[in-house]
Amino acid sequence: QVQLVESGGGLVQAGGSLRVSCAASGRPFNIYVMGWFRQAPGKEREFVASISRSGGNTAYEHSVEGRFTISRDNAKNTVYLQMNSLKPEDTAVYYCAAHFSPWQATVLQVAAEYGSWGQGTQVTVSS
């Protein structure tokens, strides 16, 4: 199984930007569909973004589309989530997740499809 470690979370003011990263190890990175999810206190874990194995396809949750960008560097075994125009409602623990897929174009929005998860990184947006 692939191991995932998130980093880059922190405290930012509303309207600011932050980039979180997720480093993978243990298995070839380019066989995995990658996703970002978040969980706010008292709420269910929700989908944020997903990227296909090659990076050619992406998907976003509606509320972050146009503000967040998911990308990956397969040479560095890392997936990124660039977050711009942050809002207080973006405050959550952000998790990256990996799903082995034989298909290059697949993106996934359902948490249950992902088999590997990181420990999460806290993002707090102050108003």
Side-chain angles (χ1 to χ4, degrees), residues 66-119:
R67 299 189 298 122
F68 291 11
T69 302
I70 188 171
S71 62
R72 64 189 296 163
D73 185 337
N74 285 345
K76 295 183 178 179
N77 294 349
T78 302
V79 62
Y80 306 97
L81 185 69
Q82 176 68 45
M83 302 181 287
N84 299 329
S85 302
L86 281 160
K87 305 175 181 180
E89 51 263 43
D90 294 317
T91 295
V93 177
Y94 283 71
Y95 298 90
C96 72
H99 167 84
F100 167 71
S101 173
W103 312 112
Q104 289 280 356
T106 298
V107 290
L108 295 171
Q109 302 185 29
V110 178
E113 299 279 1
Y114 290 86
S116 299
W117 292 83
Q119 83 289 349

Side-chain angles (χ1 to χ4, degrees), residues 33-50:
V33 175
M34 299 300 296
W36 284 99
F37 291 77
R38 65 186 180 186
Q39 188 166 18
K43 294 190 175 181
E44 300 270 324
R45 187 170 298 190
E46 68 172 357
F47 169 75
V48 176
S50 177

